[in-house]
Amino acid sequence: MTASPLFPSLSANALMVRKLDTIFPLSDDEKQALMDLPIQVVELKSGQDIVRLGERPQQSCLILQGFTCVYKLSVGGKRQIMALHVPGDIPDLQSLHLAVMDISIATISPCTVGFLQHDDILRMCDRHPRLTAALWRETLIDASIYREWLLNIGQRDAYARIAHLLCELLIRLKAVGLVEDHSFELPITQEEMADTIGISAVHVSRTFQALRNNGLIETTRTRLYLPDWEGLKEAGEFDPLYLHLRGDS
């Protein structure tokens, strides 16, 4: 088992257990089955495709360090980022049962990912049927996040869109231990944020400045601090129900 570079005391498998346990109650036997799952750890550069639309992958990827995105391109080459994934996420679990990828997944920062062979996952699930339910729940939560993003882009203004997304990222990163005093690393460029929420990079810059001026965020080059959590939640109309986390994560 290879250690996760982001969590030196945790193996890649242990990070997967930590994440799944935030959304599904795992037994000791199920945790051990996940710990025994073979994982090949790979370092990737920023802006590198992990899997492309039209491919037929035989493996899924576990994010160990960095941020990745799900995206599609228009005929004219315009990119829409449809999801962001953080450490602990498995963004392409659907490839277990959908042979051809209808999306592309790419790194948006330097990343460490762990590849899990489909055959190994399926054998594990045959031996531990409840793990099938745990992985199914993971994909259902991805779908729930897609629905919330559709509402965010379609019915909220830019200020609320960004506030909502920042709230979501804090909750998701907190669940895997990557938030300290309402601050976290945010390795996303203005262009990537623009492709995520459907506005121009200039509009993103102006909106971040408005959030700073209103005391809702503070930023350094890659780190974000949320000094007024309640105010940011109100600005983004944020309710974490759609993330379906267990407990108060």
Side-chain angles (χ1 to χ4, degrees), residues 93-166:
L93 268 176
Q94 70 270 26
S95 64
L96 271 173
H97 301 291
L98 297 177
V100 181
M101 293 296 292
D102 58 82
I103 55 173
S104 297
I105 300 173
T107 61
I108 57 175
S109 70
C111 283
T112 306
V113 303
F115 288 106
L116 305 92
Q117 297 300 313
H118 289 169
D119 287 346
D120 292 331
I121 298 173
L122 293 171
R123 277 193 294 268
M124 177 189 69
C125 289
D126 284 342
R127 292 192 298 268
H128 301 275
R130 271 176 32 95
L131 287 177
T132 300
L135 296 177
W136 174 229
R137 184 174 175 83
E138 172 86 349
T139 61
L140 289 174
I141 292 172
D142 276 349
S144 178
I145 294 172
Y146 276 122
R147 292 190 291 272
E148 188 68 24
W149 278 37
L150 182 61
L151 173 65
N152 204 37
I153 292 175
Q155 298 300 329
R156 297 185 180 117
D157 62 21
Y159 189 86
R161 289 182 205 179
I162 291 180
H164 188 279
L165 178 59
L166 298 181

Side-chain angles (χ1 to χ4, degrees), residues 2-5 12 39-45 48-50 59-66 68 107 109-117:
T2 305
S4 165
I39 298 179
Q40 178 189 10
V41 175
V42 177
E43 305 285 340
L44 299 175
K45 297 178 181 179
Q48 185 171 342
D49 280 333
I50 299 173
Q59 58 192 8
S60 293
C61 63
L62 166 69
I63 310 307
L64 301 175
Q65 184 174 34
T68 67
T107 61
S109 70
C111 283
T112 306
V113 303
F115 288 106
L116 305 92
Q117 297 300 313

